[in-house]
Amino acid sequence: MGANAPGCKAAATAAAAGSQKPWLFVGLGNPGRMYKGTRHNIGFEMIDAIAEAEGISVSSKQFKAMVGKGLIGDVPVMLAKPQTFMNASGESVGQLVSYFKIPLNQLVVIYDDLDLPFVKLRLLPKGGHGGHNGMRSIIDHLKQSRDFPRLRIGIGRPPGDTGVISFVLRSFTKQEQEELDFTLRRGLQAVRIILQEGFNKGATFVNTPQPSETLNT
């Protein structure tokens, strides 16, 4: 009996994971090489960072999105990058949520935010679209529900006379990319905390100022 215990436990874990609804993490961006590495695609970069760290292949096309499925710890997850272009992201997200019966409190949308300082993270359980067209589209396709978590990644405001559109479609400098890589690692930590310890613990981790932030305020 004892010799079979590990196998039984693994089977029980797999069965439990099978009965759980997956968490759906959606990163927003624009498809195509010309948009790769731009500020507006920071949501895609976060999904890529999670996928690489957790060994999840985001390579199947479903409901107008590149999708990957796997486990983080023992929790089933789906990672998605809508390929509809930013302003129509809801077409993809709405179908994914509906088909896979994702509870809205297990849908986490990750996107760029002009109103946060560069690389600052903010994790909230719900809210409006804040003028972000991708989020506006998602809310529209979820029957105007705003009750789903979102991880916002700051890209800062355009400098000087730079227009918003040209700014969000601009690539990062080498120094900015290094700062961003650190923030993506922190975002990955937050995702793991959400899944293993609960959303509130994840939000506390993300939203508590780091020592460097308190020095700058």
Side-chain angles (χ1 to χ4, degrees):
M1 182 85 180
N4 293 331
C8 293
K9 187 176 179 186
T13 302
S19 63
Q20 269 181 285
K21 294 290 183 207
W23 282 72
L24 172 59
F25 292 89
V26 178
L28 301 188
N30 286 308
R33 216 164 12 171
M34 69 179 288
Y35 297 106
K36 190 174 171 59
T38 62
R39 284 168 163 73
H40 220 20
N41 273 34
I42 212 164
F44 278 12
E45 291 208 36
M46 188 71 245
I47 292 295
D48 290 340
I50 298 168
E52 184 178 350
E54 297 293 345
I56 297 171
S57 173
V58 183
S59 55
S60 71
K61 188 87 181 275
Q62 288 183 284
F63 302 109
K64 303 180 182 177
M66 299 308 297
V67 176
K69 300 174 187 176
L71 294 173
I72 296 181
D74 56 358
V75 181
V77 299
M78 294 177 62
L79 307 177
K81 299 192 290 184
Q83 302 293 294
T84 53
F85 286 95
M86 179 68 82
N87 295 0
S89 299
E91 291 177 21
S92 172
V93 176
Q95 290 181 64
L96 286 166
V97 167
S98 173
Y99 183 81
F100 291 103
K101 298 181 170 57
I102 307 290
L104 286 189
N105 65 349
Q106 290 180 205
L107 164 66
V108 182
V109 181
I110 304 165
Y111 62 100
D112 58 300
D113 194 324
L114 285 159
D115 293 325
L116 284 176
F118 181 62
V119 301
K120 186 172 178 66
L121 295 173
R122 177 72 71 235
L123 179 62
L124 296 172
K126 59 184 177 181
H129 54 68
H132 192 284
N133 287 331
M135 285 294 284
R136 183 183 277 118
S137 173
I138 290 170
I139 289 168
D140 284 347
H141 283 82
L142 295 177
K143 301 175 183 167
Q144 300 303 317
S145 176
R146 301 170 175 211
D147 297 338
F148 57 91
R150 65 282 316 273
L151 177 62
R152 293 153 47 206
I153 306 175
I155 59 171
R157 302 296 305 185
D161 297 330
T162 308
V164 167
I165 292 174
S166 62
F167 178 68
V168 299
L169 298 180
R170 185 186 287 178
S171 296
F172 297 106
T173 64
K174 187 169 182 291
Q175 183 184 343
E176 285 174 334
Q177 189 63 53
E178 286 173 5
E179 291 181 58
L180 178 58
D181 289 344
F182 175 79
T183 293
L184 294 177
R185 288 196 297 273
R186 195 153 178 261
L188 170 64
Q189 276 182 279
V191 167
R192 288 171 171 162
I193 292 170
I194 290 168
L195 296 174
Q196 302 301 325
E197 301 180 50
F199 181 85
N200 289 341
K201 284 275 179 68
T204 300
F205 171 76
V206 169
N207 300 333
T208 303
Q210 295 177 279
S212 60
E213 291 172 357
T214 53
L215 289 174
N216 294 334
T217 53

